Amino acid sequence: MIIFGSPRRYLQGPGAIARLGEEIARIGKTAVLIADAHVLGLVSAPAAESCRTAGVTLSTITFGGEITHAEVERMASLCTRTPSEVVIAAGGGKTIDAAKFLSGKIGAKLATIPTVASNDSPTSHIIVVYDEHHKLVGVERLKANPDLVLVDTAIIAKAPAILLSAGIGDAIVKRFEVEQCVGVQGSNAFGGRSPQTALALARACYDTVRADSVAALAAVERGEPDQALERLVEASVLMSGLAFESGGLSVCHAMTRGLSAVPGPASALHGHQVAYGLLVQLVLEGRDAAFVEDIRGFFTEVELPLSLADLGFNGGPAEIATIAELTAQAPHMKHFARPVSAQDLVAAIEAVEAMASPTKDAAE
């Protein structure tokens, strides 16, 4: 059967954080705000004022910076001192995933406030867990998606452009992954088949990303939200999140298993990792040269990686073999039109690297 999941409520716009208190009051009277030290400086004052006005008691915990089992245990122990009905996650993907894990552990409801649009973690029930060295160690799942997603685009407009570029990368791949998953009748993140709604969202996400990314990046450079940024943020946070969870993933996200295991790419932003994965997937799909060049041209416009070197890679064949072997073992690889071996992946990576070489030669 088909299954579609989504957050309970989604709000987006400049100044949206002023609505936080009244929105939290719908689901609880006590809340704990989880954010790193930098983000607390951005949101703690308006969040506290909004919650005070709405009669919500708010406490704060400073996130340590890496989503590990130990960090979640530390925050959970702090929550025993001041029990909260709602966990509010403010920040990027790591903070949000850590707060998701925490909310499930203490049995609280969850609200997310992304301060960057670098990925679609704010809408999903998926939690990616790492170790202290940023190596992916597992994936956890909440029982449900967040109760509230609140996106203040005035805050996002002031974040570094490279983070929005990563969000573009994470969003653009969803069309191609969902199409593959639907094509093989694979399972989505809820264990069901992909509804046509998810496929439609993935394609609308792709169209929006292609139409609005350049202008949205310009808005971020100015530090002022505009309609292009509003549309792109909706695509990269909401459309992308709904599409991947209910539609399914494929090669692009499987590549994160391999890329996160080698020096250089392991430190790259998630959206840049999966964007490189799209180039590999397009080779595996046998897309024609004109289509691939169109995608590569767009990647150049929005500063997405065209090569492993763009992800910080300086290894050789042995490291490429490691990337391929770990990627081939990822569960998402079964969502592809044909079986793909580690050798197939090595060949596809080599093809992507060969395409990038003339570009680099010309630049030099």
Side-chain angles (χ1 to χ4, degrees), residues 43-358:
V43 306
S44 61
E49 175 61 26
S50 181
C51 286
R52 184 166 47 249
T53 301
V56 175
T57 301
L58 183 69
S59 59
T60 62
I61 292 176
T62 303
F63 174 56
E66 187 63 82
I67 173 173
T68 63
H69 289 280
E71 176 63 7
V72 174
E73 290 290 345
R74 181 189 72 84
M75 293 191 295
S77 68
L78 294 174
C79 287
T80 61
R81 305 174 191 174
T82 311
S84 299
E85 297 173 87
V86 185
V87 171
I88 304 171
K94 287 185 182 181
T95 305
I96 288 172
D97 276 8
K100 287 179 190 175
F101 206 160
L102 175 65
S103 71
K105 193 170 187 64
I106 68 174
K109 293 183 178 179
L110 175 67
T112 63
I113 308 174
T115 56
V116 297
S118 60
N119 58 61
D120 49 30
S121 173
T123 65
S124 84
H125 77 302
I126 301 294
I127 304 163
V128 181
V129 184
Y130 295 86
D131 64 16
E132 288 77 4
H133 306 291
H134 194 61
K135 182 179 179 181
L136 191 153
V137 296
V139 176
E140 304 283 342
R141 286 174 169 79
L142 288 177
K143 292 181 179 178
N145 293 70
D147 297 275
L148 170 68
V149 181
L150 188 148
V151 188
D152 191 324
T153 46
I155 295 174
I156 287 175
K158 291 180 170 56
I162 190 173
L163 297 175
L164 186 61
S165 169
I168 292 167
D170 194 32
I172 195 172
V173 306
K174 299 304 170 25
R175 168 194 158 186
F176 303 93
E177 294 192 283
V178 174
E179 286 177 346
Q180 284 291 338
C181 192
V182 169
V184 299
Q185 297 188 328
S187 297
N188 62 19
F190 303 105
R193 298 299 184 201
S194 309
Q196 290 298 301
T197 302
L199 181 58
L201 281 165
R203 289 171 173 166
C205 180
Y206 173 83
D207 291 342
T208 305
V209 167
R210 290 299 305 263
D212 291 308
S213 290
V214 173
L217 284 166
V220 168
E221 293 291 351
R222 296 192 305 272
E224 299 175 353
D226 62 10
Q227 287 306 303
L229 182 62
E230 294 292 339
R231 290 190 294 267
L232 180 66
V233 168
E234 182 184 348
S236 60
V237 177
L238 182 59
M239 291 183 195
S240 178
L242 297 178
F244 101 78
E245 283 205 300
S246 294
L249 296 171
S250 185
V251 175
C252 305
H253 275 73
M255 287 285 295
T256 63
R257 292 296 180 104
L259 292 170
S260 66
V262 297
S267 301
L269 292 165
H270 170 80
H272 291 164
Q273 290 181 341
V274 298
Y276 180 81
L278 176 58
L279 299 178
V280 174
Q281 180 170 324
L282 294 178
V283 171
L284 292 170
E285 288 181 0
R287 296 275 183 165
D288 65 67
F291 187 90
V292 174
E293 280 307 306
D294 176 63
I295 295 292
R296 282 167 41 81
F298 175 73
F299 275 27
T300 299
E301 286 186 290
V302 298
E303 299 186 11
L304 291 175
L306 296 175
S307 68
L308 286 172
D310 291 339
L311 294 174
F313 180 83
N314 60 5
E319 288 77 17
I320 289 175
T322 296
I323 294 170
E325 288 163 9
L326 294 175
T327 298
Q329 297 168 20
H332 301 316
M333 288 302 300
K334 63 188 177 187
H335 298 155
F336 197 71
R338 59 180 175 81
V340 177
S341 67
Q343 291 74 22
D344 293 329
L345 284 161
V346 168
I349 291 169
E350 289 175 345
V352 171
E353 296 301 299
M355 282 186 277
S357 295

